[in-house]
Amino acid sequence: MTAPVGSAPVPTPLVARSVLVSAAAAGVCAVWAATVWAAVHLRADPLLHDVALFVHLACLIVGFGAVLTVDWLGLLWLLGKRPLTEVLRAADAVHPPIWLGLAGLVGSGMLLHPDPGALLTRVKLGLVLVVALNGLHAWTLQPRLAALPAGGPEPATVSRRALVARCASTVLVSQLGWWGATVIGFLNSRR
């Protein structure tokens, strides 16, 4: 079906999703930059700092715990121990806690007096941005995974192998980002 002359073509769901992801990525970068700027300029009193620290730890448990759940189920799928539909259902269910946890970490983190002049803090800030952008990338993989034929994780085609490799690299980036930021946060708290 073609569009009438003079009208814009109707975007396909994949194109619409791509535009949405691009806009979300720009929004994530803008929020991240604004939060880094605010962290440099805000000073929380001791009580607010303690509340922010509690919120920060609670959000780490919620967000990272949800990430670990999905990644664990994904590993079980790759090992042939869980069906892909179970992984996709779980991923769908835990997306809100992941994003709420990440947003809470960013919001509370700006009240914890981070030192953007310190190398470890800059690395942590970069990891947080990478985790968020990687989360958007993971969201783009879900419909592609859902379109795979039922069965085990054995890649039957080049495109299936490439998709599984993208999923594996997305999980690796996620784990490195979350664990890296957590370790740096712990090291920074000991100063």
Side-chain angles (χ1 to χ4, degrees):
M1 178 176 187
T2 61
V5 176
S7 68
V10 177
T12 64
L14 188 57
V15 171
R17 192 172 182 99
S18 161
V19 169
L20 180 61
V21 169
S22 297
V28 162
C29 291
V31 167
W32 177 87
T35 304
V36 170
W37 181 89
V40 172
H41 293 88
L42 289 178
R43 278 289 172 233
D45 65 28
L47 177 61
L48 184 56
H49 180 275
D50 288 347
V51 169
L53 180 58
F54 178 81
V55 169
H56 203 68
L57 293 173
C59 288
L60 177 64
I61 292 166
V62 170
F64 194 21
V67 166
L68 288 171
T69 299
V70 172
D71 290 351
W72 175 251
L73 288 172
L75 177 62
L76 291 176
W77 168 68
L78 287 172
L79 296 173
K81 304 213 181 264
R82 291 285 189 274
L84 180 58
T85 54
E86 184 178 326
V87 178
L88 294 174
R89 264 195 312 272
D92 240 10
V94 299
H95 264 156
I98 290 171
W99 286 104
L100 288 172
L102 185 57
L105 283 165
V106 170
S108 61
M110 75 180 166
L111 298 173
L112 296 177
H113 311 298
D115 177 12
L119 176 62
L120 280 179
T121 301
R122 286 186 296 212
V123 171
K124 181 179 179 180
L125 292 171
L127 288 173
V128 169
L129 179 60
V130 167
V131 161
L133 293 173
N134 190 61
L136 290 173
H137 175 70
W139 184 66
T140 67
L141 293 176
Q142 276 187 271
R144 290 180 172 104
L145 284 168
L148 287 176
E154 301 82 30
T157 65
V158 172
S159 62
R160 185 175 174 132
R161 275 192 298 272
L163 181 58
V164 170
R166 282 181 63 195
C167 290
S169 64
T170 300
V171 167
L172 181 63
V173 167
S174 174
Q175 289 297 310
L176 290 173
W178 279 93
W179 281 109
T182 299
V183 168
I184 291 170
F186 171 75
L187 293 173
N188 281 346
S189 74
R190 299 181 53 82
R191 292 180 188 200

